[in-house]
Amino acid sequence: MDGVPNILFINVDQMSLLDSVRAYGCEYTTTPGIDRLVKRGTSFMQSYSTDPVCCPARASWWTGAYSSEHGVIVNGTPCHADMPDLSRLLQKAGYNTYYSGKWHVPGKSVRKLFHVLHEGSWWGELTDTQVTRSGVAFLENYAGSKPFFLSLGYLNPHDICITPSYDSARSSVVDGKKVPPYKAAGVLDEADIPPVQDAQDYDSREPAVLVLSKRGAPEKPKFSDWSDELWRMHRYNYHRFTEMVDAQVDTLLDALAQSSFRDNTLIIFSSDHGDGLGRHRTVGKSTFYDEVCRVPFIVSTLGDLKVRENIQDTEHPVSGVDFARTVCDYSGADGSILPHGRSLRPLVEGKEVVWREFVYAESSAYMHMVTDGTTKYVREYIENDAFAGILPCATTHRAGVEQLFDLARDPNEARNLAYDPGYKAQLERMRVALDRKEQERVPVKAVAPRGQMFMSGRAKAIKRKKIPQQY
């Protein structure tokens, strides 16, 4: 075991790569903790969630599989029992493995896979401090002879899921729009609240499963009664929850810096998915807009490990399935059983390596996406009764709505080019790329009954509401 580092995995919930971290240019937050990791490490700026919702993305971290493969297509659907477990691979390689905080991988018992220091809750503001305390205590007291892998799962900024309903209920209606009370009551000044996002416009030709969950009735779309002031308040709240969890990260890093493990501990920081942030007039998750599917992924150190410092890598598309392979590379564990992923270690160390052109992701069972960082393609599938309960792909299901975005010219993803004849060649290129990514998957099995209920429920609701699935 000589030469392998201890590994600290700091994971947060619902942190977007966009509009969150001061070191990445967000002027409305103060994030000294995460900024330390950025300064001392390599940040992957083309980092994508494998499935932008909690359970599916987290299952991908630990199995190296996509949601259609591990079976967790929606929160609460259990993971297939035959999926690999990163913790077991690390233990076989001689590591002691520890966990504290949010787990949220149904079908995989965290207590059977790790030594659990503390179990998280569903309210970050109240219990993220306990995750930090357990992590600090571990760093102060660990005396094992083996290297350790310690995963700390923080909940925030996930608490942003709570505030929209509260702020909406507290608002007054002015000219048909809801206006929050905080400025009028003197709680906040105008200068305290960030402006509205500059990416509120969206092309209505969206996948039906997205329209169902995010848009509501055509005659009165969701959030159509929100004023700019209420959108600004949502952004303000998100930044405060981000700062709350950053304070925990900063405290944890202080403890690591003062411990005997500082020089030989690799730090990986990431999030399961982002948040709508008010962009495209949405909140929450489960879309493929950048604010939701692009997430931080930092490999860093406070010590002497070989890590390129203060690098923001914009060239290499990476994914949540790369996490397990990266950990295996640094630990010496045998990751050959993992279905997918590439180790980021060569990129972190500045080595020349032939890299992938596209990353692939899935969402809400019926949406698949590929991107190379400059072009993004999303394909929705239409339910096929002959394959009920089977997750869709090009060989079994008809394509529904498609989205194509030229991210270089349209970084705010306001114009869907899939139906523009001038982009026919680009559309075909991305279709082929998505087909190939689907073909690379391991054999897909039927999901558990909860997942099947989700799929059939969504398909029936789309038909009942007559939401367009083709244009």
Side-chain angles (χ1 to χ4, degrees):
M1 296 301 294
D2 292 340
V4 297
N6 302 303
I7 301 174
L8 174 61
F9 179 36
I10 305 172
N11 56 90
V12 297
D13 197 317
Q14 206 145 330
M15 182 176 289
S16 174
L17 186 64
L18 282 62
D19 201 31
S20 295
V21 179
R22 175 61 69 92
Y24 296 154
C26 180
E27 59 183 301
Y28 305 106
T29 57
T30 302
T31 53
I34 300 171
D35 290 355
R36 289 167 73 177
L37 296 175
V38 173
K39 185 177 180 180
R40 292 298 309 272
T42 297
S43 299
F44 293 93
M45 306 307 286
Q46 294 294 336
S47 164
Y48 293 84
S49 171
T50 55
D51 190 325
V53 69
C54 301
C55 294
R58 290 168 178 271
S60 292
W61 281 341
W62 303 109
T63 65
Y66 296 110
S67 50
S68 59
E69 297 170 321
H70 58 57
V72 188
I73 62 166
V74 65
N75 286 350
T77 303
C79 186
H80 294 315
D82 60 352
M83 281 288 110
D85 298 301
L86 177 59
S87 181
R88 294 290 188 231
L89 301 181
L90 288 167
Q91 291 161 8
K92 289 180 180 178
Y95 274 71
N96 286 333
T97 60
Y98 300 86
Y99 204 97
S100 179
K102 181 173 180 177
W103 172 241
H104 216 190
V105 182
K108 296 283 189 182
S109 171
V110 66
R111 289 195 170 274
K112 291 181 179 179
L113 294 171
F114 294 86
H115 300 287
V116 175
L117 308 179
H118 168 73
E119 291 195 25
S121 76
W122 305 110
W123 202 323
E125 185 175 357
L126 297 181
T127 59
D128 276 352
T129 54
Q130 297 172 22
V131 177
T132 300
R133 288 173 185 168
S134 66
V136 169
F138 176 87
L139 294 171
E140 291 176 345
N141 293 285
Y142 182 70
S145 60
K146 295 181 179 181
F148 64 78
F149 174 90
L150 171 61
S151 180
L152 299 178
Y154 291 105
L155 193 63
N156 263 326
H158 185 278
D159 284 0
I160 193 63
C161 294
I162 301 170
T163 56
S165 59
Y166 281 94
D167 286 340
S168 179
R170 291 170 179 155
S171 295
S172 301
V173 178
V174 179
D175 296 328
K177 298 289 185 179
K178 292 183 177 180
V179 179
Y182 307 109
K183 284 198 304 181
V187 177
L188 294 171
D189 294 328
E190 170 67 20
D192 296 330
I193 310 172
V196 295
Q197 292 277 3
D198 60 358
Q200 285 199 318
D201 293 339
Y202 64 93
D203 192 315
S204 62
R205 294 170 295 183
E206 297 177 306
V209 69
L210 185 159
V211 173
L212 179 67
S213 63
K214 298 296 182 183
R215 301 304 179 196
E219 63 274 12
K220 189 179 181 181
K222 289 182 179 180
F223 310 115
S224 59
D225 58 352
W226 276 35
S227 65
D228 284 351
E229 294 301 310
L230 196 49
W231 284 116
R232 292 177 64 196
M233 196 65 215
H234 180 75
R235 193 179 183 192
Y236 171 88
N237 290 334
Y238 186 80
H239 292 155
R240 302 295 78 78
F241 291 131
T242 298
E243 290 174 344
M244 286 181 188
V245 75
D246 179 82
Q248 301 306 316
V249 172
D250 206 25
T251 299
L252 180 70
L253 294 180
D254 282 344
L256 177 61
Q258 296 165 16
S259 76
S260 60
F261 308 113
R262 180 195 66 182
D263 292 337
N264 192 38
T265 297
L266 185 80
I267 307 166
I268 301 177
F269 177 89
S270 194
S271 179
D272 48 5
H273 54 80
D275 183 81
L277 300 172
R279 295 166 63 94
H280 303 97
R281 297 189 178 273
T282 66
V283 301
K285 43 230 173 191
S286 300
T287 80
F288 280 130
Y289 291 123
D290 267 4
E291 58 268 19
V292 176
C293 68
R294 283 177 63 192
V295 293
F297 199 141
I298 308 168
V299 181
S300 189
T301 183
L302 301 184
D304 301 325
L305 299 176
K306 187 177 181 181
V307 174
R308 291 194 300 160
E309 295 188 3
N310 205 24
I311 297 295
Q312 295 184 23
D313 184 325
T314 61
E315 299 179 9
H316 299 96
V318 305
S319 163
V321 293
D322 296 326
F323 168 71
R325 289 274 185 174
T326 301
V327 170
C328 286
D329 192 354
Y330 277 103
S331 65
D334 182 1
S336 59
I337 194 175
L338 299 168
H340 302 287
R342 297 280 302 275
S343 171
L344 305 185
R345 184 175 183 175
L347 303 179
V348 171
E349 296 180 350
K351 297 178 180 178
E352 292 292 330
V353 60
V354 177
W355 200 248
R356 64 166 68 93
E357 185 176 7
F358 298 99
V359 289
Y360 168 75
E362 302 170 343
S363 179
S364 303
Y366 292 104
M367 291 192 296
H368 294 177
M369 181 273 285
V370 287
T371 181
D372 59 5
T374 61
T375 306
K376 181 188 293 181
Y377 171 65
V378 179
R379 178 191 295 161
E380 177 186 35
Y381 285 107
I382 299 172
E383 177 69 336
N384 183 347
D385 292 339
F387 292 89
I390 301 297
L391 293 164
C393 67
T395 59
T396 57
H397 291 67
R398 287 188 299 128
V401 176
E402 297 174 289
Q403 291 176 301
L404 182 72
F405 297 109
D406 184 339
L407 301 175
R409 296 182 179 181
D410 179 26
N412 290 336
E413 301 171 286
R415 185 184 174 197
N416 181 3
L417 301 169
Y419 304 97
D420 185 331
Y423 281 80
K424 184 177 180 180
Q426 292 93 322
L427 177 62
E428 186 57 30
R429 169 179 173 263
M430 301 303 285
R431 283 172 170 169
V432 170
L434 181 58
D435 290 344
R436 288 175 177 169
K437 286 295 184 180
E438 289 181 348
Q439 292 163 9
E440 292 172 2
R441 296 180 302 175
V442 300
V444 174
K445 298 183 292 186
V447 296
R450 183 183 179 97
Q452 294 181 27
M453 289 175 60
F454 169 83
M455 293 176 65
S456 63
R458 286 293 191 273
K460 290 176 182 176
I462 289 169
K463 290 180 180 179
R464 184 175 66 253
K465 294 176 180 289
K466 299 181 179 179
I467 301 173
Q469 289 196 274
Q470 290 181 325
Y471 288 97

